[in-house]
Amino acid sequence: MRLDELDRRIVAHLLEDGRASYAQIGDRVGLSAPAVKRGVDRLRAEGVITGFAAVVEPAALGWGAEAFIEIFCTGATSPEEIYSSIRNHPEVVAAYTVSGDASALVHVRVRDIQHLEQTLERLRREENITATKTAIVLSRLIGRPTDTPARPTEPARTP
């Protein structure tokens, strides 16, 4: 799946405003609305665009705090087993297998610190989770609407 510069520009505009019309995107990238629609349809068919969603302020939904939890599991626990242990915890908004000592890194959103403590207690009761290490988020510095950097093909530049 290889994206050209035009594809990247279409995707960037959709990330900026997922409700933009094909005509609005076309005006920005120099294409007609039908050409943008064909491009978006192709990007969806190729699995580049996997869906559309509303981006909502977590606090508006009652989530006043968030944390990242390193999960440590027994032995060689598979990603599927870790997924089974965490999938039914509604506070978990993302989870990743990672390198290093931890088995996984879990992002949770909770009402408050008391709710975080309750969530940790429930996670620790899962039979394959032996320990956790938690970092509470104090402030969000960057919150892009996607899991990938804006320009993944270009390395970061330092002054």
Side-chain angles (χ1 to χ4, degrees):
M1 156 177 18
R2 191 156 162 83
L3 299 181
D4 62 22
E5 186 57 31
L6 195 55
D7 291 334
R8 290 182 192 287
R9 291 175 54 208
I10 290 170
V11 169
H13 288 294
L14 284 171
L15 287 171
E16 185 180 312
D17 180 3
R19 293 184 56 144
S21 70
Y22 296 135
Q24 290 170 319
I25 295 170
D27 287 345
R28 292 180 173 170
V29 301
L31 292 174
S32 67
V36 172
K37 181 187 182 320
R38 285 191 302 274
V40 170
D41 288 346
R42 182 180 48 78
L43 292 168
R44 290 184 73 193
E46 292 176 0
V48 173
I49 297 174
T50 59
F52 297 88
V55 179
V56 179
E57 173 58 42
L61 299 175
W63 304 116
E66 61 187 314
F68 288 89
I69 303 168
E70 288 181 286
I71 301 249
F72 299 85
C73 296
T74 56
T77 305
S78 71
E80 292 79 16
E81 292 170 305
I82 296 169
Y83 172 76
S84 292
S85 295
I86 62 176
R87 72 174 175 208
N88 293 321
H89 296 271
E91 299 85 359
V92 174
V93 296
Y96 313 90
T97 54
V98 294
S99 62
D101 294 332
S103 302
L105 182 65
V106 177
H107 180 198
V108 298
R109 288 204 172 109
V110 293
R111 290 184 307 275
D112 52 31
I113 298 303
Q114 182 180 9
H115 186 196
L116 175 60
E117 184 176 26
Q118 293 165 354
T119 302
L120 284 166
E121 288 171 3
R122 277 189 284 109
L123 283 167
R124 289 177 186 143
R125 283 195 295 266
E126 296 290 340
E127 70 180 51
N128 63 345
I129 296 176
T130 58
T132 61
K133 183 177 177 184
T134 304
I136 297 170
V137 174
L138 299 177
S139 63
R140 180 181 303 230
L141 302 177
I142 296 175
R144 293 189 177 111
T146 180
D147 297 57
T148 58
R151 306 228 10 47
T153 59
E154 295 180 13
R157 294 192 174 102
T158 55

